[in-house]
Amino acid sequence: MKLHVLKPSVNNMAVRVFVRAAKLGFTEDDVYGKTRTKEFIAMNPAHLTPMMEAKGLPKGVLWESCAIMQYLCNKHELTKFYPKAPAKRAMIDSAMFYLIGTLYPLLARATYPALGFPQYAGEVGSSDGTSEQKAAAQKAAKDAIAEPLEVFHKFYMDGTPFIGGAKPSIADIRLAVTLEFLAVIDYPLPAWAKTYMAAMEKSLGKAYAEPAADVRGYITYVRSQKN
Ligand SMILES: N[C@@H](CCC(=O)N[C@@H](CS)C(=O)NCC(=O)O)C(=O)O
């Protein structure tokens, strides 16, 4: 399996952490600056990473970080990361859909301006609005992050260390890596979230730390450019 990745991205970090934690065989191709090339678009018209390339996939490639982790868990029967029982699995799926559909768009609006990443068409941040309007949109998104964060804590974790219960699941990998980006705006993480991220790193060890170094290194770099 070959992974096409962008190293400063937390969407990519999710899969990069997962394949290491699951001890799967893989190679990584850094596609910085290549996602809009003719060759890449021919494989993946969405031009999104992470993208996995492997035999046996109907189209030869697969993108969307959560779909890649789900597929690999299914293929290799990695039930410790993705429980097989339908009700337990549904909670992991719900947490990941909620993250991609609700938390991540807020987090992107709040952090992408500071990260120097482009925002989607139609967002205030990518419009020709004033810098005050853009700052107000960014602040509104930042302020709205607290609610979904609390949902992860109170509903999905519900007194256990992880969404997966006693051990991290693929939903935990997706959540912990996502929270990494909040450092770029000095987001005041609640105490539980700091404990959670430390527990994730402790539980997954180098599998987490190595891809995290790329994301954290990028954040350190963009912050140094501002000073
Ligand atoms: N929901 C997707 C988001 C993927 C995504 O936005 N990827 C960005 C990097 S953060 C990308 O590859 N952009 C390159 C491009 O659009 O050319 C996932 O979780 O995989």
Side-chain angles (χ1 to χ4, degrees):
M1 142 177 66
K2 182 172 173 182
L3 295 176
H4 299 257
V5 301
L6 293 177
K7 293 183 174 176
S9 147
V10 295
N11 294 313
N12 282 268
M13 186 181 159
V15 170
R16 298 183 72 215
V17 168
F18 170 73
V19 291
R20 286 164 172 80
K23 298 188 168 55
L24 298 175
F26 66 94
T27 59
E28 277 183 338
D29 184 23
D30 188 337
V31 292
Y32 180 77
K34 296 187 198 157
T35 54
R36 312 276 172 138
T37 58
K38 241 165 90 184
E39 295 74 29
F40 199 90
I41 301 265
M43 284 192 286
N44 172 350
H47 49 76
L48 291 175
T49 62
M51 177 180 83
M52 161 187 176
E53 193 181 343
K55 287 200 186 97
L57 292 167
K59 298 275 200 161
V61 299
L62 186 66
W63 65 86
E64 283 297 334
S65 56
C66 298
I68 294 171
M69 293 191 291
Q70 288 166 314
Y71 169 70
L72 290 172
C73 284
N74 291 338
K75 186 171 158 74
H76 300 287
E77 297 203 20
L78 300 171
T79 51
K80 81 173 192 180
F81 291 108
Y82 193 39
K84 214 167 180 173
K88 282 193 169 171
R89 178 168 283 202
M91 289 299 280
I92 304 301
D93 289 338
S94 170
M96 291 194 299
F97 277 97
Y98 182 59
L99 188 145
I100 297 293
T102 299
L103 174 62
Y104 198 82
L106 296 173
L107 189 128
R109 279 180 208 122
T111 61
Y112 278 21
L115 290 162
F117 290 173
Q119 290 189 69
Y120 294 107
E123 298 275 346
V124 181
S126 68
S127 75
D128 55 7
T130 62
S131 49
E132 286 79 15
Q133 286 167 328
K134 289 181 184 180
Q138 186 180 4
K139 183 178 181 306
K142 182 179 175 184
D143 291 348
I145 286 172
E147 183 189 289
L149 266 191
E150 196 51 20
V151 172
F152 280 106
H153 183 220
K154 284 271 155 59
F155 183 82
Y156 290 109
M157 292 170 195
D158 196 17
T160 65
F162 303 106
I163 299 167
K167 291 268 158 61
S169 66
I170 52 175
D172 290 290
I173 293 177
R174 189 54 249 206
L175 177 60
V177 304
T178 299
L179 300 181
E180 293 280 340
F181 265 171
L182 290 173
V184 79
I185 53 167
D186 290 323
Y187 185 87
L189 277 175
W192 71 262
K194 289 184 193 162
T195 306
Y196 170 71
M197 289 174 79
M200 281 295 290
E201 188 156 354
K202 185 159 183 239
S203 174
L204 301 180
K206 258 175 72 176
Y208 191 95
E210 197 183 295
D214 290 321
V215 169
R216 292 171 187 169
Y218 181 73
I219 292 174
T220 304
Y221 165 75
V222 291
R223 292 180 68 118
S224 74
Q225 295 302 100
K226 255 173 231 135
N227 296 333

